Amino acid sequence: MSLFEDKSEKMTSVKSLGEFRLIEHLTSGIAPKNTSTIMGIGDDAAVIDMGEKYQLVSTDLLVEGVHFDLAYMPLKHLGYKAVAINVSDICAMNGDVKQITIGLALSNRYTVEALEELYEGVKLACERYGVDLIGGDTTSSTAGLMISITALGEVEKDKVTYRAGAKVNDLVVCTGDLGAAYLGLQLLNREKGIFKENPTIQPDLSGNDYVLERQLKPEAAIKYIKILKELEIIPTSMIDVSDGLSSEVLHLAKSSDVGITIHEDKIPVDYTAMNLANELNINPIFCAINGGEDYELLFTIAQENYEKLKKDPDFTIIGFVTDKSEGNNFIANDGSSHLLTAQGWDSMKNS
Ligand code: ADP
Ligand code: MG
């Protein structure tokens, strides 16, 4: 082999694998060496045996220009959101969040005052969620702002919920409503575009407080975890909705080795989000299925828990668990059945 051989043909682009396959690829062959590692890679948080309880650990990274645009994201909101989305992953394990650490990389464009604003949001979220900020790291960056947060939580051993665990005939439940965060982003992008073309035009965001709040200041699902505890329901499987409903349904189904069927007419969408979707000419169900960043919980329960849960409007039963052989399906309003894919459902482009 020549030393100067062009190896470029053998290179694989990260894009060709996609995020999930890349993680699988890079971490293949990694098996826990310590008996205390109960769950390593592959769920919303890692699970560590600490004796009486399990400890939960989860990390998320937010990158300027990828996850947020400071043209419309106030730094205080960004700080709050960065904490909330990490707390969300602890909730997805049915756990209570306790501590966070924060890693910051900053370009020299940031002033102390700007970072104070960011930390106002962080502190507010820590107050709201009862979390202690216990450390982190700060360094410089050549490309904007990056915030990496690690959240630590705990859960009683018999209450931990994984992505795996859904059983055939279980009910599929979703908290709150879906799609609004994506619509908030579409609205902000529209107004940013208009402002760029003509800076004298003021942004028209009136009447859309809900979708904007869902995008700019999402809340972690702590209140739903509390309700489930009160109702004495332990979901058989659970995940948080960070990437859109279809992607999360596929994660639960794959991890649990089952199929999942969801019904279009059951998917909860807020009415102001629905109105905005119509105005923007977007299918609101597309936003719910594919949008992401709603930070609701998606979980499965045994049918015997249906009576306990059905009266609470916070929870919507959107489908049921089937044998794996039936695949993952989306039943449209007209009764037609479609295969659910990571990008939505197979006929989405036509609907
Ligand atoms: P979530 O959307 O809930 O934050 P992710 O899809 O980011 O979950 O991650 C799925 C799993 O992969 C998690 O267990 C996470 O800890 C793990 N993971 C993500 N990126 C890496 C990485 N670069 N190296 C090792 N594990 C990773
Ligand atoms: Mg998650």
Side-chain angles (χ1 to χ4, degrees):
M1 189 199 289
S2 155
L3 210 61
F4 302 104
E5 189 188 20
D6 179 8
K7 290 188 182 162
S8 58
E9 274 176 40
K10 296 196 188 82
M11 299 299 168
T12 314
S13 73
V14 165
K15 207 175 161 197
S16 70
L17 277 185
E19 181 192 340
F20 303 127
R21 280 175 55 213
L22 176 69
I23 296 171
E24 258 175 37
H25 180 73
L26 294 178
T27 60
S28 68
I30 296 180
K33 286 176 278 298
N34 299 296
T35 51
S36 56
T37 308
I38 305 297
M39 165 60 76
I41 294 159
D43 218 300
D44 292 293
V47 179
I48 300 164
D49 192 345
M50 298 305 287
E52 197 196 333
K53 289 186 173 185
Y54 284 148
Q55 178 158 60
L56 304 166
V57 185
S58 178
T59 300
D60 260 316
L61 174 64
L62 293 180
V63 176
E64 183 175 350
V66 178
H67 300 101
F68 59 90
D69 182 340
L70 290 172
Y72 50 67
M73 185 73 164
L75 278 161
K76 185 174 173 183
H77 287 64
L78 179 63
Y80 192 97
K81 182 170 178 173
V83 177
I85 67 173
N86 279 277
V87 174
S88 175
D89 277 320
I90 301 296
C91 291
M93 309 303 289
N94 208 19
D96 298 319
V97 66
K98 297 290 175 190
Q99 293 91 10
I100 56 165
T101 62
I102 302 187
L104 273 186
L106 314 158
S107 67
N108 54 15
R109 178 157 68 79
Y110 287 86
T111 60
V112 173
E113 287 74 18
L115 297 169
E116 280 172 359
E117 254 187 72
L118 180 78
Y119 265 67
E120 260 185 56
V122 167
K123 287 175 193 165
L124 188 64
C126 286
E127 210 47 53
R128 169 81 57 94
Y129 298 132
V131 184
D132 298 323
L133 171 58
I134 56 162
D137 195 22
T138 308
T139 183
S140 54
S141 132
T142 50
L145 174 64
M146 284 168 245
I147 311 172
S148 172
I149 295 193
T150 296
L152 304 157
E154 58 183 45
V155 61
E156 286 159 49
K157 286 183 176 176
D158 58 351
K159 298 211 166 57
V160 65
T161 56
Y162 298 101
R163 294 179 180 181
K167 303 271 179 308
V168 176
N169 293 329
D170 279 357
L171 302 172
V172 179
V173 187
C174 174
T175 61
D177 59 78
L178 299 173
Y182 177 80
L183 281 158
L185 185 62
Q186 300 313 304
L187 182 68
L188 290 164
N189 275 329
R190 182 186 76 175
E191 295 307 317
K192 186 184 166 191
I194 294 172
F195 184 76
K196 259 190 180 165
E197 297 238 313
N198 187 347
T200 62
I201 299 179
Q202 287 299 305
D204 178 14
L205 302 170
S206 55
N208 289 304
D209 298 2
Y210 183 67
V211 297
L212 292 172
E213 185 146 311
R214 293 284 281 174
Q215 170 56 224
L216 298 176
K217 193 171 167 288
E219 291 294 351
I222 285 187
K223 70 169 183 178
Y224 302 124
I225 295 300
K226 284 200 179 116
I227 299 173
L228 287 174
K229 203 174 194 176
E230 281 159 24
L231 294 173
E232 295 183 349
I233 294 175
I234 301 171
T236 50
S237 70
M238 185 145 69
I239 189 167
D240 67 328
V241 185
S242 53
D243 294 336
L245 181 62
S246 63
S247 168
E248 314 307 356
V249 163
L250 296 186
H251 279 312
L252 283 191
K254 187 176 176 204
S255 299
S256 298
D257 209 27
V258 293
I260 288 180
T261 292
I262 57 169
H263 289 260
E264 179 173 12
D265 62 346
K266 300 281 189 261
I267 295 172
V269 179
D270 172 78
Y271 78 97
T272 57
M274 190 80 86
N275 289 343
L276 178 63
N278 290 336
E279 186 190 322
L280 296 176
N281 222 354
I282 315 175
N283 179 342
I285 297 298
F286 168 88
C287 304
I289 291 257
N290 226 19
E293 294 201 287
D294 291 308
Y295 298 103
E296 296 292 350
L297 294 173
L298 178 74
F299 58 92
T300 54
I301 55 166
Q303 288 209 10
E304 69 208 37
N305 283 322
Y306 171 68
E307 287 298 321
K308 292 190 208 167
L309 198 129
K310 72 171 187 195
K311 282 182 223 89
D312 192 327
D314 291 317
F315 302 103
T316 311
I317 291 157
I318 60 167
F320 55 94
V321 179
T322 65
D323 191 80
K324 188 183 180 180
S325 60
E326 295 191 35
N328 301 302
N329 300 291
F330 174 84
I331 312 292
N333 284 342
D334 63 6
S336 57
S337 177
H338 307 265
L339 278 182
L340 205 55
T341 67
Q343 285 78 39
W345 62 99
D346 58 0
S347 66
M348 194 170 66
K349 289 186 187 73
N350 310 318
S351 56

